[in-house]
Amino acid sequence: MRISARTLSRGLGARLRTAGVVALTCFLLAACTGEQFQKGYIMPPGALEQIPIGASQDQVLIVMGTPSTVATLDGEVFYYISQRADRPVAFMNQRVVDQRVVAIYFDKNRQVRRLANYGLKDGKIFDFISRTTPTSGQELSYLTPLFKLLSFN
């Protein structure tokens, strides 16, 4: 029994096409899987329960670790900031799923005065690209054109 070169090339071509289809299918399925992203502070489970009102600042640092940022206006505040986002399909934009800001307020004696856990629903939209924030008092009313008309400047 002799096998011709033409028969061998047909069988090899069919196997290569099958392998190519399988590889392409695997690649397309891998590209469609979603991804999750965790940015910022990752809070240890049960950490907030370990910080009672009146705890020292050192105890907070031991339990929670170094804060993302610190404010020193009217006492001291530690902020722990985190954000979780997902991308359901590869090559799409990320969507913010959860956003947390844990604020720990201290009194003048460096004891915990209050704990706050702000989430995504507590947030305010902020345009980070233009680096501007809206300020109050700049809204125009229907009287503004009248006052401008009467001013002598």
Side-chain angles (χ1 to χ4, degrees), residues 33-68:
T33 59
E35 296 176 275
Q36 288 194 348
F37 304 94
Q38 176 73 37
K39 300 172 187 171
Y41 179 76
I42 299 174
M43 186 179 312
L48 284 180
E49 290 79 24
Q50 296 179 28
I51 302 172
I53 302 297
S56 69
Q57 200 173 55
D58 293 333
Q59 185 179 354
V60 171
L61 288 172
I62 290 170
V63 172
M64 299 287 285
T66 305
S68 303

Coordinates of all heavy atoms in Angstrom, one line a residue, residues 33-68:
T33 N -12.8 36.9 28.7 CA -13.0 36.8 30.2 C -12.8 38.1 30.9 O -12.0 39.0 30.4 CB -12.0 35.8 30.8 OG1 -10.7 36.3 30.5 CG2 -12.2 34.4 30.2
G34 N -13.5 38.4 31.9 CA -13.5 39.6 32.6 C -12.3 39.7 33.6 O -11.6 38.7 33.9
E35 N -12.0 40.9 34.0 CA -10.9 41.1 34.9 C -11.4 42.0 36.1 O -12.3 42.8 35.9 CB -9.8 41.9 34.2 CG -9.1 41.2 33.1 CD -8.1 42.0 32.4 OE1 -8.5 42.8 31.6 OE2 -6.9 42.0 32.8
Q36 N -10.8 41.8 37.3 CA -11.1 42.7 38.4 C -9.8 43.4 38.8 O -8.8 42.8 38.8 CB -11.7 41.9 39.5 CG -13.1 41.4 39.3 CD -13.7 40.9 40.5 OE1 -13.1 40.7 41.6 NE2 -15.0 40.7 40.5
F37 N -10.0 44.7 39.2 CA -8.9 45.5 39.6 C -9.1 46.0 41.0 O -10.2 46.5 41.3 CB -8.7 46.7 38.7 CG -8.5 46.2 37.2 CD1 -9.7 46.2 36.4 CD2 -7.3 45.9 36.7 CE1 -9.5 45.8 35.1 CE2 -7.2 45.5 35.4 CZ -8.3 45.4 34.6
Q38 N -8.1 45.9 41.9 CA -8.2 46.5 43.2 C -7.1 47.5 43.3 O -5.9 47.2 43.1 CB -7.9 45.4 44.3 CG -7.8 45.9 45.7 CD -9.2 46.3 46.3 OE1 -10.2 45.7 46.0 NE2 -9.2 47.3 47.0
K39 N -7.5 48.8 43.7 CA -6.5 49.9 43.7 C -6.6 50.4 45.1 O -7.6 50.5 45.7 CB -6.9 50.9 42.7 CG -6.9 50.5 41.3 CD -7.5 51.5 40.4 CE -7.6 50.9 39.0 NZ -8.3 51.8 38.1
G40 N -5.5 50.9 45.6 CA -5.4 51.5 46.9 C -5.3 50.5 48.1 O -4.7 49.5 48.0
Y41 N -5.9 51.0 49.2 CA -5.8 50.2 50.5 C -6.6 49.0 50.4 O -7.8 49.0 50.0 CB -6.2 51.1 51.6 CG -6.1 50.5 53.0 CD1 -4.9 50.3 53.6 CD2 -7.3 50.1 53.6 CE1 -4.9 49.7 54.8 CE2 -7.3 49.5 54.8 CZ -6.0 49.3 55.5 OH -6.0 48.7 56.7
I42 N -6.1 47.8 50.9 CA -6.9 46.6 51.0 C -7.1 46.4 52.5 O -6.1 46.1 53.3 CB -6.2 45.4 50.4 CG1 -6.0 45.7 48.9 CG2 -7.0 44.1 50.6 CD1 -5.2 44.6 48.2
M43 N -8.3 46.5 53.0 CA -8.6 46.5 54.4 C -8.6 45.0 54.9 O -9.3 44.2 54.3 CB -10.0 47.1 54.7 CG -10.2 47.2 56.2 SD -11.8 47.9 56.6 CE -11.8 49.4 55.7
P44 N -7.9 44.7 56.0 CA -8.0 43.4 56.5 C -9.4 43.1 57.1 O -10.0 44.0 57.6 CB -7.0 43.4 57.7 CG -6.1 44.7 57.5 CD -7.0 45.6 56.7
P45 N -9.8 41.8 56.9 CA -11.2 41.5 57.4 C -11.3 41.8 58.9 O -10.4 41.4 59.7 CB -11.3 40.0 57.1 CG -10.2 39.7 56.2 CD -9.2 40.7 56.3
G46 N -12.4 42.4 59.3 CA -12.7 42.7 60.7 C -11.8 43.8 61.4 O -11.7 43.9 62.6
A47 N -11.1 44.5 60.6 CA -10.2 45.5 61.1 C -10.9 46.7 61.8 O -10.5 47.1 62.9 CB -9.3 46.1 60.0
L48 N -12.0 47.1 61.3 CA -12.7 48.2 61.9 C -13.3 47.8 63.3 O -13.5 48.7 64.1 CB -13.8 48.8 61.0 CG -13.4 49.6 59.8 CD1 -14.5 50.1 59.0 CD2 -12.6 50.8 60.3
E49 N -13.7 46.6 63.4 CA -14.3 46.1 64.7 C -13.2 46.1 65.8 O -13.5 46.1 66.9 CB -14.9 44.7 64.5 CG -16.1 44.7 63.7 CD -15.9 44.7 62.2 OE1 -14.8 44.4 61.7 OE2 -16.8 45.2 61.5
Q50 N -11.9 46.1 65.4 CA -10.9 46.1 66.4 C -10.5 47.5 66.9 O -9.6 47.6 67.7 CB -9.6 45.4 65.8 CG -9.8 43.9 65.4 CD -8.5 43.4 64.8 OE1 -7.4 43.8 65.1 NE2 -8.7 42.3 64.0
I51 N -11.1 48.5 66.3 CA -10.8 49.9 66.7 C -12.0 50.5 67.4 O -12.9 51.0 66.8 CB -10.4 50.7 65.5 CG1 -9.3 50.1 64.8 CG2 -10.1 52.1 65.9 CD1 -8.9 50.7 63.4
P52 N -12.0 50.5 68.8 CA -13.1 51.1 69.5 C -12.9 52.6 69.6 O -11.8 53.1 69.4 CB -13.1 50.4 70.9 CG -11.6 50.1 71.0 CD -11.1 49.8 69.6
I53 N -14.0 53.3 69.9 CA -13.9 54.7 70.2 C -13.0 54.9 71.4 O -13.2 54.2 72.4 CB -15.3 55.4 70.4 CG1 -16.2 55.1 69.2 CG2 -15.2 56.8 70.7 CD1 -15.7 55.8 67.9
G54 N -12.1 55.8 71.4 CA -11.1 56.0 72.5 C -9.8 55.3 72.3 O -8.9 55.4 73.1
A55 N -9.7 54.5 71.2 CA -8.4 53.8 71.0 C -7.3 54.8 70.6 O -7.6 55.9 70.1 CB -8.6 52.8 69.9
S56 N -6.1 54.4 70.9 CA -5.0 55.3 70.6 C -4.6 55.3 69.1 O -4.9 54.4 68.4 CB -3.7 54.9 71.4 OG -3.2 53.7 71.0
Q57 N -3.9 56.4 68.7 CA -3.5 56.5 67.3 C -2.5 55.3 67.0 O -2.5 54.8 65.9 CB -2.8 57.8 67.1 CG -2.8 58.3 65.7 CD -2.3 59.7 65.6 OE1 -1.2 60.0 66.1 NE2 -3.0 60.5 64.9
D58 N -1.7 54.9 67.9 CA -0.7 53.8 67.7 C -1.5 52.5 67.5 O -1.1 51.7 66.7 CB 0.2 53.7 68.9 CG 1.2 54.9 69.0 OD1 1.4 55.6 67.9 OD2 1.6 55.2 70.1
Q59 N -2.6 52.3 68.2 CA -3.3 51.1 68.1 C -4.0 51.1 66.7 O -4.0 50.0 66.0 CB -4.4 51.0 69.1 CG -5.2 49.7 69.1 CD -6.3 49.7 70.2 OE1 -6.3 50.6 71.1 NE2 -7.1 48.7 70.2
V60 N -4.4 52.2 66.2 CA -5.0 52.3 64.8 C -3.9 51.9 63.8 O -4.2 51.2 62.9 CB -5.6 53.7 64.6 CG1 -6.0 53.8 63.1 CG2 -6.8 53.9 65.5
L61 N -2.7 52.4 64.0 CA -1.6 52.1 63.0 C -1.3 50.7 63.0 O -0.9 50.1 62.0 CB -0.4 53.0 63.3 CG -0.5 54.5 63.0 CD1 0.6 55.3 63.5 CD2 -0.7 54.7 61.5
I62 N -1.3 50.0 64.2 CA -1.0 48.6 64.3 C -2.1 47.8 63.6 O -1.8 46.9 62.8 CB -0.9 48.2 65.8 CG1 0.4 48.8 66.4 CG2 -0.9 46.6 65.9 CD1 0.5 48.6 67.9
V63 N -3.3 48.1 63.8 CA -4.4 47.3 63.2 C -4.6 47.6 61.7 O -4.7 46.7 60.9 CB -5.8 47.6 63.9 CG1 -6.9 47.0 63.2 CG2 -5.7 47.1 65.4
M64 N -4.6 48.9 61.3 CA -4.9 49.3 60.0 C -3.7 49.5 59.1 O -3.8 49.4 57.9 CB -5.7 50.6 60.0 CG -7.1 50.5 60.7 SD -8.3 49.6 59.8 CE -8.7 50.8 58.5
G65 N -2.6 49.8 59.7 CA -1.4 50.1 58.9 C -1.3 51.6 58.5 O -2.1 52.4 59.0
T66 N -0.4 51.9 57.6 CA -0.2 53.3 57.2 C -1.4 53.8 56.4 O -1.8 53.1 55.5 CB 1.1 53.4 56.4 OG1 2.2 52.8 57.1 CG2 1.4 54.8 56.0
P67 N -1.9 55.0 56.7 CA -3.1 55.5 56.0 C -2.7 56.0 54.6 O -1.5 56.2 54.3 CB -3.5 56.7 56.8 CG -2.4 57.1 57.7 CD -1.5 55.8 57.9
S68 N -3.7 56.0 53.7 CA -3.4 56.5 52.4 C -3.0 58.0 52.4 O -2.2 58.4 51.6 CB -4.7 56.3 51.5 OG -5.1 55.0 51.5

